[in-house]
Amino acid sequence: MHTDRAHDPADSAHDPAHGAHDLRHHGDAEVRDDGARLIDLAVNVRADTPPTWLRERIAGSLTGLAAYPDGRAARAAVAARHGLPVDRVLLTAGAAEAFVLLARALKVRQPVVVHPQFTEPEAALRDAGHAVERVLLREADGFRLTPEAVPEGADLVLIGNPTNPTSVLHPAASIARLARPGRTLVVDEAFMDAVPGEREALAGRTDIPGLVVLRSLTKTWGLAGLRIGYVLAAPETISELERAQPLWPVSTPALAAAEACMDAPALAEAAHAAHRIAADRDHLVAGLAEFAPDGLQVMEPAEGPFVLVRVPDALAVRRHLRDLGFAVRRGDTFPGLGEQWLRLAVRDRTTVNRFLQALDQAVTLSGR
């Protein structure tokens, strides 16, 4: 359990990143090919998205496809949404492109990735030739950040908030303690707009040296196929990343989507969705608690649109769930987790109730 005591750096493990985790495995792999027949709890994209109004805005942009993309309006909209000057914003083809740009453009000697978390940042760093050091947060601490565990010499530190797959929302003050002169502090806030009130967000902050915040429009708005995200950072960092981008990296439809999602009605809809997700997550967690006698453990408190669970014989449970029509995300590809972990995306109550019934069957079958 997490306590307020000061942690010794040894409380979190260091990993030289030589593990055999499949860093390129993501939730979409669970629903490829025959996955179309499955109810998807593996991918952390809000269900029933994009909404009609957003599809119409995107469709309306198609008449301009003969012209090269012009990102100025979308960039200005993102800047205004976060109260920043335009030169602190860079639009990207999804957050994944931002990870690649950071890995290729920044001159770093000792990059550190705080795990368990989304694996694409480390994969991008390794592909760019960097030797990546891992800081593994401990289950005993609820996978909460121990700032002292990050090596003092690290000149790039990357952490997710809220973190995929643990659903931990780290205090902004704890993350800010990682900032140092000469260090780039990258905070992946791809799921922050699913947190009511965006508590603990660092987007828009300009007082933290070396801060780089990444956001994605994929998760809340269901735009994984369109690829749109953005970076918020100091102007000199934005310039470095922009030089590493190809020309016209973000398509006209993606730019239209970005601008639309910054409008006041869209932000209000996202805020409403965050509260609904939180209520649906509470319903899921309460249902999962009924499986405690079977050895299932939920990592709490969960703050993202997904829940991490430890399940005895998770491999068999996951296989039985597929047979019963549900796809869930395996956890063993995340450094710091093992085969007993599964990640479950939050869905509406009707879907959750059906899933819990299937889970009951899957747990029973795996115990035979």
mmCIF file of all heavy atoms in Angstrom, residues 231-274:
data_model
loop_
_atom_site.group_PDB
_atom_site.id
_atom_site.type_symbol
_atom_site.label_atom_id
_atom_site.label_comp_id
_atom_site.label_asym_id
_atom_site.label_seq_id
_atom_site.Cartn_x
_atom_site.Cartn_y
_atom_site.Cartn_z
ATOM 1 N N VAL A 231 2.108 18.138 -28.873
ATOM 2 C CA VAL A 231 3.154 18.314 -27.874
ATOM 3 C C VAL A 231 3.060 19.737 -27.342
ATOM 4 O O VAL A 231 2.878 20.690 -28.107
ATOM 5 C CB VAL A 231 4.551 18.087 -28.483
ATOM 6 C CG1 VAL A 231 5.641 18.234 -27.422
ATOM 7 C CG2 VAL A 231 4.632 16.723 -29.158
ATOM 8 N N LEU A 232 3.215 19.889 -26.027
ATOM 9 C CA LEU A 232 3.298 21.193 -25.381
ATOM 10 C C LEU A 232 4.654 21.285 -24.706
ATOM 11 O O LEU A 232 4.990 20.444 -23.867
ATOM 12 C CB LEU A 232 2.183 21.356 -24.340
ATOM 13 C CG LEU A 232 0.746 21.098 -24.818
ATOM 14 C CD1 LEU A 232 -0.224 21.179 -23.645
ATOM 15 C CD2 LEU A 232 0.356 22.079 -25.911
ATOM 16 N N ALA A 233 5.449 22.287 -25.075
ATOM 17 C CA ALA A 233 6.815 22.386 -24.539
ATOM 18 C C ALA A 233 7.352 23.786 -24.778
ATOM 19 O O ALA A 233 6.703 24.633 -25.435
ATOM 20 C CB ALA A 233 7.725 21.348 -25.194
ATOM 21 N N ALA A 234 8.534 24.046 -24.273
ATOM 22 C CA ALA A 234 9.190 25.322 -24.500
ATOM 23 C C ALA A 234 9.435 25.518 -25.993
ATOM 24 O O ALA A 234 9.639 24.542 -26.728
ATOM 25 C CB ALA A 234 10.506 25.382 -23.735
ATOM 26 N N PRO A 235 9.424 26.774 -26.468
ATOM 27 C CA PRO A 235 9.572 27.026 -27.913
ATOM 28 C C PRO A 235 10.815 26.389 -28.519
ATOM 29 O O PRO A 235 10.758 25.873 -29.639
ATOM 30 C CB PRO A 235 9.631 28.555 -27.996
ATOM 31 C CG PRO A 235 8.875 29.018 -26.810
ATOM 32 C CD PRO A 235 9.166 28.025 -25.716
ATOM 33 N N GLU A 236 11.939 26.388 -27.809
ATOM 34 C CA GLU A 236 13.159 25.800 -28.376
ATOM 35 C C GLU A 236 13.035 24.289 -28.548
ATOM 36 O O GLU A 236 13.545 23.713 -29.515
ATOM 37 C CB GLU A 236 14.378 26.137 -27.508
ATOM 38 C CG GLU A 236 14.279 25.737 -26.057
ATOM 39 C CD GLU A 236 13.663 26.804 -25.157
ATOM 40 O OE1 GLU A 236 12.905 27.670 -25.671
ATOM 41 O OE2 GLU A 236 13.933 26.770 -23.933
ATOM 42 N N THR A 237 12.315 23.636 -27.617
ATOM 43 C CA THR A 237 12.081 22.196 -27.762
ATOM 44 C C THR A 237 11.133 21.923 -28.919
ATOM 45 O O THR A 237 11.350 20.994 -29.711
ATOM 46 C CB THR A 237 11.503 21.617 -26.459
ATOM 47 O OG1 THR A 237 12.419 21.855 -25.388
ATOM 48 C CG2 THR A 237 11.262 20.118 -26.583
ATOM 49 N N ILE A 238 10.087 22.711 -29.028
ATOM 50 C CA ILE A 238 9.154 22.570 -30.147
ATOM 51 C C ILE A 238 9.901 22.720 -31.467
ATOM 52 O O ILE A 238 9.678 21.953 -32.420
ATOM 53 C CB ILE A 238 8.014 23.599 -30.039
ATOM 54 C CG1 ILE A 238 7.139 23.317 -28.815
ATOM 55 C CG2 ILE A 238 7.178 23.619 -31.316
ATOM 56 C CD1 ILE A 238 6.399 22.005 -28.839
ATOM 57 N N SER A 239 10.806 23.676 -31.555
ATOM 58 C CA SER A 239 11.561 23.893 -32.797
ATOM 59 C C SER A 239 12.412 22.681 -33.134
ATOM 60 O O SER A 239 12.507 22.276 -34.299
ATOM 61 C CB SER A 239 12.449 25.136 -32.661
ATOM 62 O OG SER A 239 11.655 26.302 -32.552
ATOM 63 N N GLU A 240 13.047 22.096 -32.124
ATOM 64 C CA GLU A 240 13.865 20.898 -32.362
ATOM 65 C C GLU A 240 13.019 19.753 -32.894
ATOM 66 O O GLU A 240 13.414 19.054 -33.834
ATOM 67 C CB GLU A 240 14.558 20.470 -31.067
ATOM 68 C CG GLU A 240 15.719 21.318 -30.639
ATOM 69 C CD GLU A 240 16.417 20.724 -29.429
ATOM 70 O OE1 GLU A 240 17.173 19.757 -29.597
ATOM 71 O OE2 GLU A 240 16.183 21.225 -28.309
ATOM 72 N N LEU A 241 11.864 19.550 -32.298
ATOM 73 C CA LEU A 241 10.995 18.459 -32.725
ATOM 74 C C LEU A 241 10.442 18.724 -34.118
ATOM 75 O O LEU A 241 10.352 17.809 -34.947
ATOM 76 C CB LEU A 241 9.852 18.282 -31.727
ATOM 77 C CG LEU A 241 10.244 17.938 -30.288
ATOM 78 C CD1 LEU A 241 9.002 17.825 -29.417
ATOM 79 C CD2 LEU A 241 11.056 16.656 -30.232
ATOM 80 N N GLU A 242 10.089 19.969 -34.381
ATOM 81 C CA GLU A 242 9.523 20.316 -35.686
ATOM 82 C C GLU A 242 10.533 20.084 -36.802
ATOM 83 O O GLU A 242 10.173 19.656 -37.904
ATOM 84 C CB GLU A 242 9.063 21.769 -35.668
ATOM 85 C CG GLU A 242 8.145 22.143 -36.814
ATOM 86 C CD GLU A 242 7.466 23.470 -36.590
ATOM 87 O OE1 GLU A 242 7.953 24.270 -35.766
ATOM 88 O OE2 GLU A 242 6.424 23.703 -37.237
ATOM 89 N N ARG A 243 11.796 20.333 -36.530
ATOM 90 C CA ARG A 243 12.830 20.095 -37.553
ATOM 91 C C ARG A 243 12.962 18.621 -37.886
ATOM 92 O O ARG A 243 13.396 18.261 -38.986
ATOM 93 C CB ARG A 243 14.176 20.660 -37.082
ATOM 94 C CG ARG A 243 14.302 22.173 -37.221
ATOM 95 C CD ARG A 243 15.738 22.632 -37.059
ATOM 96 N NE ARG A 243 16.229 22.415 -35.704
ATOM 97 C CZ ARG A 243 16.134 23.305 -34.722
ATOM 98 N NH1 ARG A 243 15.534 24.466 -34.942
ATOM 99 N NH2 ARG A 243 16.605 23.046 -33.525
ATOM 100 N N ALA A 244 12.600 17.758 -36.947
ATOM 101 C CA ALA A 244 12.694 16.315 -37.177
ATOM 102 C C ALA A 244 11.466 15.756 -37.868
ATOM 103 O O ALA A 244 11.478 14.603 -38.317
ATOM 104 C CB ALA A 244 12.910 15.587 -35.845
ATOM 105 N N GLN A 245 10.404 16.562 -37.985
ATOM 106 C CA GLN A 245 9.178 16.102 -38.637
ATOM 107 C C GLN A 245 9.306 16.150 -40.154
ATOM 108 O O GLN A 245 9.972 17.041 -40.690
ATOM 109 C CB GLN A 245 7.993 16.982 -38.235
ATOM 110 C CG GLN A 245 7.236 16.540 -37.009
ATOM 111 C CD GLN A 245 5.971 17.354 -36.811
ATOM 112 O OE1 GLN A 245 5.959 18.560 -36.968
ATOM 113 N NE2 GLN A 245 4.885 16.683 -36.435
ATOM 114 N N PRO A 246 8.639 15.244 -40.855
ATOM 115 C CA PRO A 246 8.538 15.399 -42.310
ATOM 116 C C PRO A 246 7.612 16.567 -42.633
ATOM 117 O O PRO A 246 6.886 17.060 -41.759
ATOM 118 C CB PRO A 246 7.933 14.069 -42.763
ATOM 119 C CG PRO A 246 7.163 13.592 -41.576
ATOM 120 C CD PRO A 246 7.942 14.042 -40.364
ATOM 121 N N LEU A 247 7.638 16.984 -43.872
ATOM 122 C CA LEU A 247 6.711 18.033 -44.294
ATOM 123 C C LEU A 247 5.268 17.534 -44.197
ATOM 124 O O LEU A 247 4.986 16.363 -44.463
ATOM 125 C CB LEU A 247 7.012 18.445 -45.735
ATOM 126 C CG LEU A 247 8.280 19.290 -45.955
ATOM 127 C CD1 LEU A 247 8.533 19.440 -47.447
ATOM 128 C CD2 LEU A 247 8.153 20.653 -45.290
ATOM 129 N N TRP A 248 4.366 18.425 -43.816
ATOM 130 C CA TRP A 248 2.933 18.138 -43.755
ATOM 131 C C TRP A 248 2.639 16.812 -43.036
ATOM 132 O O TRP A 248 2.011 15.908 -43.582
ATOM 133 C CB TRP A 248 2.334 18.098 -45.169
ATOM 134 C CG TRP A 248 2.712 19.306 -45.964
ATOM 135 C CD1 TRP A 248 2.333 20.600 -45.741
ATOM 136 C CD2 TRP A 248 3.579 19.327 -47.108
ATOM 137 N NE1 TRP A 248 2.897 21.441 -46.673
ATOM 138 C CE2 TRP A 248 3.683 20.682 -47.537
ATOM 139 C CE3 TRP A 248 4.285 18.368 -47.830
ATOM 140 C CZ2 TRP A 248 4.440 21.073 -48.630
ATOM 141 C CZ3 TRP A 248 5.038 18.745 -48.909
ATOM 142 C CH2 TRP A 248 5.129 20.083 -49.304
ATOM 143 N N PRO A 249 3.066 16.692 -41.793
ATOM 144 C CA PRO A 249 2.926 15.408 -41.086
ATOM 145 C C PRO A 249 1.508 15.090 -40.656
ATOM 146 O O PRO A 249 1.172 13.928 -40.419
ATOM 147 C CB PRO A 249 3.830 15.594 -39.867
ATOM 148 C CG PRO A 249 3.802 17.064 -39.609
ATOM 149 C CD PRO A 249 3.731 17.706 -40.959
ATOM 150 N N VAL A 250 0.659 16.127 -40.529
ATOM 151 C CA VAL A 250 -0.709 15.915 -40.053
ATOM 152 C C VAL A 250 -1.674 16.231 -41.193
ATOM 153 O O VAL A 250 -1.616 17.307 -41.793
ATOM 154 C CB VAL A 250 -1.013 16.799 -38.832
ATOM 155 C CG1 VAL A 250 -2.434 16.554 -38.343
ATOM 156 C CG2 VAL A 250 -0.011 16.525 -37.709
ATOM 157 N N SER A 251 -2.560 15.297 -41.496
ATOM 158 C CA SER A 251 -3.455 15.442 -42.634
ATOM 159 C C SER A 251 -4.516 16.510 -42.389
ATOM 160 O O SER A 251 -4.825 16.872 -41.246
ATOM 161 C CB SER A 251 -4.149 14.109 -42.920
ATOM 162 O OG SER A 251 -5.081 13.815 -41.893
ATOM 163 N N THR A 252 -5.106 16.966 -43.467
ATOM 164 C CA THR A 252 -6.177 17.969 -43.380
ATOM 165 C C THR A 252 -7.356 17.472 -42.533
ATOM 166 O O THR A 252 -7.856 18.216 -41.679
ATOM 167 C CB THR A 252 -6.636 18.376 -44.788
ATOM 168 O OG1 THR A 252 -5.544 19.043 -45.452
ATOM 169 C CG2 THR A 252 -7.834 19.300 -44.743
ATOM 170 N N PRO A 253 -7.836 16.236 -42.708
ATOM 171 C CA PRO A 253 -8.931 15.774 -41.844
ATOM 172 C C PRO A 253 -8.528 15.730 -40.368
ATOM 173 O O PRO A 253 -9.349 16.053 -39.496
ATOM 174 C CB PRO A 253 -9.241 14.370 -42.383
ATOM 175 C CG PRO A 253 -8.797 14.419 -43.806
ATOM 176 C CD PRO A 253 -7.567 15.275 -43.807
ATOM 177 N N ALA A 254 -7.282 15.353 -40.079
ATOM 178 C CA ALA A 254 -6.826 15.316 -38.690
ATOM 179 C C ALA A 254 -6.751 16.719 -38.102
ATOM 180 O O ALA A 254 -7.091 16.945 -36.931
ATOM 181 C CB ALA A 254 -5.473 14.626 -38.601
ATOM 182 N N LEU A 255 -6.319 17.681 -38.911
ATOM 183 C CA LEU A 255 -6.285 19.071 -38.453
ATOM 184 C C LEU A 255 -7.694 19.584 -38.162
ATOM 185 O O LEU A 255 -7.918 20.289 -37.171
ATOM 186 C CB LEU A 255 -5.611 19.954 -39.498
ATOM 187 C CG LEU A 255 -4.113 19.704 -39.729
ATOM 188 C CD1 LEU A 255 -3.636 20.495 -40.939
ATOM 189 C CD2 LEU A 255 -3.311 20.091 -38.495
ATOM 190 N N ALA A 256 -8.632 19.229 -39.020
ATOM 191 C CA ALA A 256 -10.030 19.627 -38.793
ATOM 192 C C ALA A 256 -10.549 19.040 -37.485
ATOM 193 O O ALA A 256 -11.262 19.715 -36.721
ATOM 194 C CB ALA A 256 -10.898 19.183 -39.967
ATOM 195 N N ALA A 257 -10.182 17.794 -37.216
ATOM 196 C CA ALA A 257 -10.612 17.145 -35.978
ATOM 197 C C ALA A 257 -10.006 17.839 -34.763
ATOM 198 O O ALA A 257 -10.689 18.076 -33.758
ATOM 199 C CB ALA A 257 -10.223 15.673 -36.001
ATOM 200 N N ALA A 258 -8.715 18.171 -34.848
ATOM 201 C CA ALA A 258 -8.054 18.835 -33.729
ATOM 202 C C ALA A 258 -8.720 20.161 -33.407
ATOM 203 O O ALA A 258 -8.991 20.481 -32.244
ATOM 204 C CB ALA A 258 -6.576 19.039 -34.048
ATOM 205 N N GLU A 259 -8.999 20.933 -34.439
ATOM 206 C CA GLU A 259 -9.631 22.236 -34.217
ATOM 207 C C GLU A 259 -11.023 22.073 -33.616
ATOM 208 O O GLU A 259 -11.402 22.785 -32.676
ATOM 209 C CB GLU A 259 -9.705 22.994 -35.543
ATOM 210 C CG GLU A 259 -10.152 24.431 -35.398
ATOM 211 C CD GLU A 259 -10.097 25.202 -36.716
ATOM 212 O OE1 GLU A 259 -9.644 24.644 -37.739
ATOM 213 O OE2 GLU A 259 -10.524 26.375 -36.703
ATOM 214 N N ALA A 260 -11.768 21.093 -34.123
ATOM 215 C CA ALA A 260 -13.128 20.869 -33.633
ATOM 216 C C ALA A 260 -13.127 20.447 -32.166
ATOM 217 O O ALA A 260 -13.993 20.870 -31.385
ATOM 218 C CB ALA A 260 -13.822 19.810 -34.482
ATOM 219 N N CYS A 261 -12.157 19.622 -31.781
ATOM 220 C CA CYS A 261 -12.118 19.093 -30.412
ATOM 221 C C CYS A 261 -11.665 20.133 -29.394
ATOM 222 O O CYS A 261 -11.742 19.889 -28.185
ATOM 223 C CB CYS A 261 -11.218 17.864 -30.344
ATOM 224 S SG CYS A 261 -11.883 16.431 -31.220
ATOM 225 N N MET A 262 -11.191 21.270 -29.852
ATOM 226 C CA MET A 262 -10.809 22.351 -28.949
ATOM 227 C C MET A 262 -11.949 23.331 -28.700
ATOM 228 O O MET A 262 -11.832 24.216 -27.861
ATOM 229 C CB MET A 262 -9.601 23.110 -29.510
ATOM 230 C CG MET A 262 -8.337 22.283 -29.699
ATOM 231 S SD MET A 262 -7.714 21.518 -28.182
ATOM 232 C CE MET A 262 -7.927 19.764 -28.604
ATOM 233 N N ASP A 263 -13.053 23.211 -29.454
ATOM 234 C CA ASP A 263 -14.192 24.098 -29.273
ATOM 235 C C ASP A 263 -14.807 23.905 -27.889
ATOM 236 O O ASP A 263 -14.763 22.802 -27.321
ATOM 237 C CB ASP A 263 -15.262 23.827 -30.335
ATOM 238 C CG ASP A 263 -14.851 24.308 -31.722
ATOM 239 O OD1 ASP A 263 -13.879 25.077 -31.810
ATOM 240 O OD2 ASP A 263 -15.500 23.893 -32.709
ATOM 241 N N ALA A 264 -15.425 24.958 -27.368
ATOM 242 C CA ALA A 264 -16.020 24.892 -26.033
ATOM 243 C C ALA A 264 -17.057 23.768 -25.893
ATOM 244 O O ALA A 264 -17.048 23.044 -24.892
ATOM 245 C CB ALA A 264 -16.648 26.238 -25.675
ATOM 246 N N PRO A 265 -17.961 23.567 -26.872
ATOM 247 C CA PRO A 265 -18.917 22.454 -26.718
ATOM 248 C C PRO A 265 -18.225 21.092 -26.663
ATOM 249 O O PRO A 265 -18.671 20.201 -25.928
ATOM 250 C CB PRO A 265 -19.803 22.576 -27.965
ATOM 251 C CG PRO A 265 -19.678 24.001 -28.391
ATOM 252 C CD PRO A 265 -18.264 24.379 -28.071
ATOM 253 N N ALA A 266 -17.139 20.928 -27.419
ATOM 254 C CA ALA A 266 -16.418 19.661 -27.398
ATOM 255 C C ALA A 266 -15.756 19.442 -26.042
ATOM 256 O O ALA A 266 -15.781 18.331 -25.491
ATOM 257 C CB ALA A 266 -15.368 19.632 -28.512
ATOM 258 N N LEU A 267 -15.155 20.481 -25.494
ATOM 259 C CA LEU A 267 -14.515 20.359 -24.187
ATOM 260 C C LEU A 267 -15.560 20.029 -23.115
ATOM 261 O O LEU A 267 -15.292 19.240 -22.200
ATOM 262 C CB LEU A 267 -13.786 21.648 -23.847
ATOM 263 C CG LEU A 267 -12.603 22.002 -24.757
ATOM 264 C CD1 LEU A 267 -12.007 23.340 -24.364
ATOM 265 C CD2 LEU A 267 -11.535 20.918 -24.725
ATOM 266 N N ALA A 268 -16.746 20.622 -23.243
ATOM 267 C CA ALA A 268 -17.813 20.314 -22.289
ATOM 268 C C ALA A 268 -18.251 18.857 -22.427
ATOM 269 O O ALA A 268 -18.508 18.175 -21.421
ATOM 270 C CB ALA A 268 -18.996 21.253 -22.513
ATOM 271 N N GLU A 269 -18.337 18.387 -23.668
ATOM 272 C CA GLU A 269 -18.719 16.981 -23.879
ATOM 273 C C GLU A 269 -17.668 16.042 -23.303
ATOM 274 O O GLU A 269 -17.990 15.022 -22.684
ATOM 275 C CB GLU A 269 -18.902 16.712 -25.373
ATOM 276 C CG GLU A 269 -19.324 15.286 -25.674
ATOM 277 C CD GLU A 269 -19.597 15.037 -27.146
ATOM 278 O OE1 GLU A 269 -20.061 15.967 -27.833
ATOM 279 O OE2 GLU A 269 -19.345 13.906 -27.609
ATOM 280 N N ALA A 270 -16.389 16.368 -23.496
ATOM 281 C CA ALA A 270 -15.311 15.541 -22.952
ATOM 282 C C ALA A 270 -15.356 15.522 -21.427
ATOM 283 O O ALA A 270 -15.142 14.475 -20.794
ATOM 284 C CB ALA A 270 -13.959 16.053 -23.430
ATOM 285 N N ALA A 271 -15.646 16.673 -20.825
ATOM 286 C CA ALA A 271 -15.735 16.740 -19.369
ATOM 287 C C ALA A 271 -16.883 15.882 -18.853
ATOM 288 O O ALA A 271 -16.749 15.170 -17.841
ATOM 289 C CB ALA A 271 -15.913 18.193 -18.921
ATOM 290 N N HIS A 272 -18.020 15.924 -19.563
ATOM 291 C CA HIS A 272 -19.163 15.082 -19.183
ATOM 292 C C HIS A 272 -18.810 13.610 -19.332
ATOM 293 O O HIS A 272 -19.139 12.791 -18.458
ATOM 294 C CB HIS A 272 -20.369 15.437 -20.055
ATOM 295 C CG HIS A 272 -21.565 14.564 -19.798
ATOM 296 N ND1 HIS A 272 -22.346 14.698 -18.674
ATOM 297 C CD2 HIS A 272 -22.088 13.540 -20.525
ATOM 298 C CE1 HIS A 272 -23.311 13.787 -18.710
ATOM 299 N NE2 HIS A 272 -23.174 13.086 -19.813
ATOM 300 N N ALA A 273 -18.121 13.267 -20.419
ATOM 301 C CA ALA A 273 -17.724 11.870 -20.649
ATOM 302 C C ALA A 273 -16.793 11.387 -19.549
ATOM 303 O O ALA A 273 -16.866 10.220 -19.130
ATOM 304 C CB ALA A 273 -17.063 11.731 -22.020
ATOM 305 N N ALA A 274 -15.914 12.255 -19.056
ATOM 306 C CA ALA A 274 -14.987 11.859 -17.998
ATOM 307 C C ALA A 274 -15.738 11.449 -16.742
ATOM 308 O O ALA A 274 -15.390 10.458 -16.080
ATOM 309 C CB ALA A 274 -14.021 13.007 -17.704
#
